[in-house]
């Protein structure tokens, strides 16, 4: 998923990401919390629209 455009990732995954925040560098942080997938967040570079990082939400990982 890293390196691909956000819109392409949404098509492949079959759900939309929710914009959570934007940091001082303009990078946007998106997350999801769907029933069938463990929650994770992605960071998108605004200049390219590509995903540059993906992380599981660790606090919720421990509950599963």
């Amino acid at each position: 998923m890293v390196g691909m455009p956000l819109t392409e990732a949404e098509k492949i995954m079959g759900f939309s990401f929710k914009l959570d925040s934007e940091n001082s560098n303009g990078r946007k942080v998106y997350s999801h919390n769907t029933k069938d997938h463990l929650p994770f967040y992605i960071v998108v570079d605004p200049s390219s629209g590509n995903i540059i990082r993906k992380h599981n939400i660790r606090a919720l990982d421990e509950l599963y």
Side-chain angles (χ1 to χ4, degrees):
M1 251 173 62
V2 173
M4 75 171 47
L6 177 62
T7 53
E8 186 177 334
E10 288 177 328
K11 284 182 194 175
I12 291 169
M13 298 296 288
F15 56 80
S16 296
F17 290 92
K18 179 184 86 163
L19 178 62
D20 285 333
S21 64
E22 186 172 348
N23 69 16
S24 60
N25 294 331
R27 292 181 176 164
K28 297 180 180 181
V29 177
Y30 293 83
S31 66
H32 85 93
N33 190 7
T34 62
K35 189 174 178 180
D36 297 332
H37 299 278
L38 286 176
F40 62 89
Y41 70 89
I42 57 174
V43 179
V44 176
D45 180 9
S47 63
S48 68
N50 291 341
I51 298 169
I52 56 174
R53 190 173 305 133
K54 174 188 176 270
H55 287 283
N56 289 333
I57 299 173
R58 292 184 189 116
L60 294 174
D61 274 347
E62 295 173 4
L63 295 175
Y64 294 102

